[in-house]
Amino acid sequence: MNVPSVSLPDKQPTLRVVTMPSDTNVLGNIFGGWVMAQVDIAASIPAIQRARGRVATVAVNSFVFKHPIFVGDLVSFYAEVIKVGRTSITVNVEVFAQRSKKQLVEVVRVTEATLTFVALDDTQQPRELPAE
């Protein structure tokens, strides 16, 4: 399968991880559940920053696996707040894999997702977000 190589976004990733053999499924590719967990972590970081406190994931609005991730790939997660409500924050995450092929580094956009979080108070109830 011919996968188009792209460039990494011109900003700092929210999260970066090197994939390990323990992260694989029975086919030897990185397990989709592992990717979903990392996306949730990456998305929570700007949500926590915007909420200035605790948040909980309330929805996975979309999640698209475009290409597989392999053992040894350097996976970069770019998360950005795209919508803010009274108590909720929606975050878009783009995931890229950097893989070495014959002395060259190939960059592939592997996953895209959108998640919604709600800000929580000390009793685990939704709270209004602070003004920016």
Side-chain angles (χ1 to χ4, degrees), residues 4 14 26-27 37 47 57 66 71 74-75 77 81 119 126:
T14 306
V26 296
L27 299 175
T57 309
K66 295 176 168 285
V71 172
L74 173 57
V75 186
F77 300 79
V81 172

Side-chain angles (χ1 to χ4, degrees), residues 4 7 10 20 33 45-46 51 66 74-76 95 118 120 131:
S7 297
D10 190 23
M20 304 297 283
I45 293 170
K66 295 176 168 285
L74 173 57
V75 186
S76 300
V95 184
V118 66
L120 299 176

Side-chain angles (χ1 to χ4, degrees), residues 68-113:
I69 301 173
F70 305 114
V71 172
D73 285 354
L74 173 57
V75 186
S76 300
F77 300 79
Y78 294 84
E80 177 180 18
V81 172
I82 58 170
K83 183 179 175 188
V84 175
R86 190 175 66 80
T87 63
S88 66
I89 303 161
T90 303
V91 179
N92 187 63
V93 181
E94 292 181 296
V95 184
F96 296 83
Q98 291 173 265
R99 49 184 65 128
S100 298
K101 286 176 97 175
K102 298 180 183 175
Q103 308 297 330
L104 298 173
V105 175
E106 175 184 59
V107 177
V108 179
R109 184 189 317 260
V110 292
T111 304
E112 294 175 3

Side-chain angles (χ1 to χ4, degrees), residues 27-64:
L27 299 175
N29 297 330
I30 299 305
F31 178 54
W34 179 90
V35 178
M36 293 180 88
Q38 301 306 307
V39 164
D40 191 33
I41 292 167
S44 74
I45 293 170
I48 289 166
Q49 291 171 334
R50 175 58 185 86
R52 294 192 201 120
R54 201 169 199 165
V55 298
T57 309
V58 294
V60 177
N61 307 62
S62 68
F63 211 106
V64 180

